[in-house]
C-alpha cells in the first residue's frame, strides 16, 4: 500500500490540509529550486491520482454529495498550489541551471499542467455544485473522548478503525469488540491505497476478517494519532473505491483524533479502560496471554513467550526506552522496525493480560506485524512455512542487537600479554578478547545473551597451543543415540577433546607443518541468559527423540572458566517440538511469578497439570537465567 509522505519530513508539511493562502505564505520565501520542484512533482502525483479517481471511478456510483464536494475542492486546491509553484515562483526565481534534470522536471510539470483538461470539469463542478461552507466535512479531524466512542458502537452499526504509524510512541490495542488496528506498509510512497493491502496490514487475522465485513456497518469511525494525519485523504479514497467495487453506497465516514496516552485512564463509571502508562510498573511475569497462530507462526510464538520473561529485556520494551538508542546508521539493520514491533507486541500482550484478569476474558494477541517486519529483513520468515524456532530466536536476538547503538565507555584493560601466547596467559587472552569485543559491540543485548567460547588447539608434537575466542549466544548440545540421558552427559560431550589425526591433522604454526593435535571447546565467559539447544536435527534427516532430563537448577561450576563467578542457572523457559521435521508443531513452558509454570500452545494457555510437567521429553530449546 502506498502512503502520502511529506517531501521533507522534518518540516511537517501536510499538503492536503493546508489551504492555498497558507501554502503560498509558507513557500513565498523558499528559494531552494530543488525543493520547489520536488514539491511540485509530489503535488502533481496527488493531483493526477485525485482526478483519475473523480472522473474514472466515482461516476459509477451515487456517492455522498458532501464527500464529492470535498474531493473536488481538494483537487482544485492542488491545482492552485501547482500553478503557484510552477508559474508564479518561476517568474520570481530565474536561477534554474540550463540542461539539467531540474530543468527537464520543470518543463515536464509545466507541460502536464498546461495540457490538463480536468481543471475545466473541476471548475465547472465547483461553480455549479460546491458550497464552500459545507466542504472539508471529512478531513476535519476533531478530538473525541472514549465515552463518545463507546456510545457510538453500542448499536453494533459502527466500526472503529485505528490507523497509526508503526513507529509512533503510542500504544496499539483494541478497546471495543468491533475495532480494527491497521499499520502502514514499511517504506511505502504515495500513489493510492489498496483495500487488499489494508487487509494484510491489520494487526491480526481476526481483524483482517472483520475488515472484509465492513460493508455491514453503517458508519466508519477512523481514530488517528494526530489531527493532521497525512494518510487521511488516501485512506478515505480507499474506502470509497472499495464500496464502489461492491456497488453499494458509501456509508458515513468520520475521522477523530484519539490520543491513547491521555485517554486510557481508569474510568470508574465505564470500567472499560485502564491506564497504559501503569503497565510500565507491572511485573512482566504477570503476562499470561496466548498468541494466535498466524500462518504457521507457532515457531515464533513459543520463542516470544520465553524471551518476554526476561525482566531486563521486557522493561526496555515496555517503557520504550530503546527508542533513543536505535542505530539508524547501520545499513544492515532494520532501522529499529523489528525491535519496535516486538515492543508493540509485548505492550499489547501486557494490556490484554490485564484486561483478561479484570473482565475474565480470553483475549489473545498476534505476532503478525512482527512476522512481517522480520520477513522484510529475512525472506525465511516471509513465507507461510514452518521454520526452526531456534533460527528465529537467534535472528531476533541478532536483529535487536543490530537495531541498537553499540559501544560504551568500557575500555580494554591493560594486560601483560606477551608475544608468546601459551597456556600461562590463557585467562589474560580471554579477558582481553572479551573486553575488545565489548568496546565495539556492547549494548543490553550483549550484556544479556552473549558469552565467550574458546577453541583450543594443542599440538601433540611440540605442545604448542593456539587459542581462538569467539562470541556465542546459543549452546548447541549433541544428543546421544539413546532413549534417554541427563543433560550433563551432553555437556560433557561438548567439552570432550577431539583428536585430529591422519587427513584431519592440524597445521601447527610453531612446527610449520601438519601435526596430530587435539581440539576442545571451553566456555570462558558465561552469559546471563543461557540458551541451550538440544540438537535433535543434527543430520537433517531424522529427529533424535532422546529424552534429555534437565534440572530446574543447572550447576555448571564444575566446568572451568576464566571468571570469578559460579555459573548456576535457573530454568525459566522451554520450547517443545512435537511431530516430524516435515509436519511438526511448537509449544512452550514458561515460569511465571511465585515459581508457577504455564503451558503456552499458540492461543491456548494453562497452568501445568503436574509439578514437573515442564521437564518434557519433547524439549528442544531451554532458557536459563544466571542466579546472581
Amino acid at each position: 500500500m502506498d502512503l502520502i509522505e511529506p517531501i521533507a519530513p522534518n518540516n511537517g508539511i501536510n499538503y492536503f490540509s493546508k489551504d492555498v493562502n497558507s501554502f503560498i505564505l509558507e513557500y513565498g520565501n523558499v528559494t531552494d529550486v530543488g525543493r520547489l520542484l520536488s514539491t511540485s512533482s509530489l503535488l502533481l502525483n496527488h493531483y493526477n491520482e485525485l482526478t483519475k479517481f473523480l472522473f474514472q471511478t466515482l461516476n459509477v456510483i451515487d456517492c455522498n454529495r458532501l464527500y464529492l464536494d470535498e474531493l473536488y475542492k481538494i483537487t482544485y486546491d492542488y491545482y492552485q498550489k501547482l500553478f503557484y509553484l510552477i508559474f508564479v515562483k518561476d517568474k520570481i526565481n530565474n536561477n534554474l541551471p540550463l540542461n539539467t534534470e531540474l530543468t527537464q522536471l520543470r518543463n515536464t510539470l509545466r507541460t502536464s499542467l498546461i495540457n490538463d483538461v480536468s481543471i475545466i470539469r473541476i471548475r465547472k463542478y465547483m461553480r455549479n455544485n460546491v458550497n464552500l461552507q459545507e466542504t472539508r466535512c471529512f478531513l476535519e479531524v476533531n478530538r473525541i473522548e472514549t465515552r463518545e466512542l463507546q456510545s457510538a458502537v453500542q448499536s453494533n452499526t459502527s466500526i472503529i478503525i485505528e490507523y497509526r504509524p508503526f513507529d509512533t510512541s503510542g500504544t496499539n490495542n483494541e478497546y471495543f469488540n468491533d475495532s480494527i488496528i491497521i499499520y502502514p506498509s514499511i517504506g511505502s510512497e504515495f500513489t493510492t491505497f489498496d483495500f487488499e493491502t489494508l487487509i494484510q496490514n491489520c494487526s491480526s487475522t481476526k481483524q483482517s476478517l472483520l475488515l472484509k465485513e465492513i460493508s455491514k456497518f453503517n458508519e466508519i469511525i477512523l481514530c488517528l494519532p494526530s489531527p493532521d494525519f497525512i494518510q487521511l485523504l488516501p485512506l478515505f479514497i480507499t474506502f470509497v473505491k472499495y464500496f464502489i467495487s461492491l456497488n453499494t453506497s458509501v456509508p458515513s465516514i468520520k475521522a477523530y483524533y484519539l490520543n491513547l496516552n491521555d485517554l486510557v485512564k481508569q474510568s470508574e463509571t465505564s470500567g472499560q479502560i485502564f491506564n497504559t502508562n501503569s503497565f510500565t510498573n507491572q511485573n512482566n511475569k504477570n503476562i499470561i496471554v496466548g498468541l494466535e497462530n498466524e500462518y504457521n507462526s507457532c515457531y515464533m510464538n513459543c520463542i516470544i513467550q520465553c524471551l518476554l520473561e526476561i525482566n531486563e529485556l521486557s522493561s526496555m520494551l515496555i517503557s520504550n526506552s530503546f527508542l533513543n538508542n536505535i542505530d539508524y546508521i547501520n545499513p544492515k539493520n532494520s532501522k529499529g522496525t523489528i525491535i519496535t514491533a516486538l515492543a508493540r507486541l509485548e505492550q499489547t500482550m501486557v494490556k490484554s493480560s490485564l484486561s483478561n484478569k479484570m473482565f475474565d476474558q480470553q483475549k489473545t494477541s498476534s505476532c503478525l506485524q512482527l512476522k512481517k517486519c522480520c520477513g522484510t529483513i529475512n525472506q525465511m520468515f516471509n513465507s507461510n512455512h514452518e521454520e526452526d524456532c531456534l533460527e528465529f530466536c537467534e535472528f531476533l536476538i541478532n536483529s535487536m542487537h543490530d537495531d541498537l547503538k553499540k559501544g560504551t565507555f568500557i575500555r580494554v584493560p591493560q594486560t601483560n600479554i606477551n608475544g608468546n601466547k601459551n597456556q600461562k596467559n590463557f585467562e589474560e587472552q580471554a579477558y582481553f578478547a572479551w573486553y575488545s569485543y565489548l568496546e565495539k559491540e556492547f549494548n543490553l543485548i550483549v550484556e544479556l545473551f552473549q558469552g565467550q567460547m574458546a577453541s583450543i588447539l594443542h599440538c601433540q608434537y611440540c605442545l604448542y597451543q593456539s587459542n581462538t575466542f569467539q562470541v556465542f549466544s546459543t549452546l548447541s548440545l549433541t544428543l546421544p543415540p539413546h532413549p534417554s540421558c541427563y543433560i550433563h552427559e551432553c555437556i560433557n560431550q561438548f567439552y570432550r577433546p577431539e583428536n585430529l589425526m591422519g587427513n584431519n591433522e592440524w597445521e601447527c604454526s610453531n612446527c610449520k607443518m601438519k601435526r596430530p593435535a587435539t581440539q576442545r571447546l571451553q566456555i570462558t565467559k558465561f552469559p546471563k541468559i543461557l540458551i541451550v539447544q538440544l540438537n535433535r536435527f543434527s543430520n537433517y534427516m531424522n529427529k533424535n527423540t532422546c529424552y534429555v532430563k534437565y534440572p530446574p537448577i543447572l550447576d555448571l561450576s564444575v566446568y572451568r572458566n576464566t571468571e570469578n563467578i559460579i555459573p548456576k542457572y535457573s530454568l525459566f523457559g522451554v520450547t517443545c517440538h512435537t511431530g516430524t521435521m516435515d509436519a511438526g508443531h511448537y509449544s512452550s513452558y514458561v515460569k511465571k511469578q511465585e515459581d508457577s509454570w504455564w503451558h503456552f500452545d499458540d492461543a491456548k494457555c494453562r497452568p501445568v497439570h503436574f509439578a514437573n510437567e515442564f521437564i518434557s521429553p519433547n524439549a528442544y530449546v531451554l532458557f536459563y537465567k544466571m542466579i546472581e
Side-chain angles (χ1 to χ4, degrees), residues 31 65 77 134 141 144 237 246-247 258 267-268 284-285 288 365 375 488 510-511 530 604 622:
T31 59
R65 180 61 176 272
D77 282 352
E134 294 181 348
V141 181
I144 192 171
I237 293 175
L246 298 178
N247 199 26
L258 181 65
S267 172
E268 295 181 358
N284 65 292
K285 290 189 179 294
I288 301 176
S365 297
H488 282 87
N510 186 52
C511 297
L530 180 63
K604 302 175 183 177
L622 311 177

Side-chain angles (χ1 to χ4, degrees), residues 583-603:
H585 178 67
Y586 289 101
S587 61
S588 60
Y589 290 95
V590 181
K591 183 180 179 181
K592 295 294 181 177
Q593 63 176 351
E594 299 176 354
D595 294 334
S596 63
W597 283 85
W598 283 69
H599 182 248
F600 293 89
D601 187 356
D602 292 331

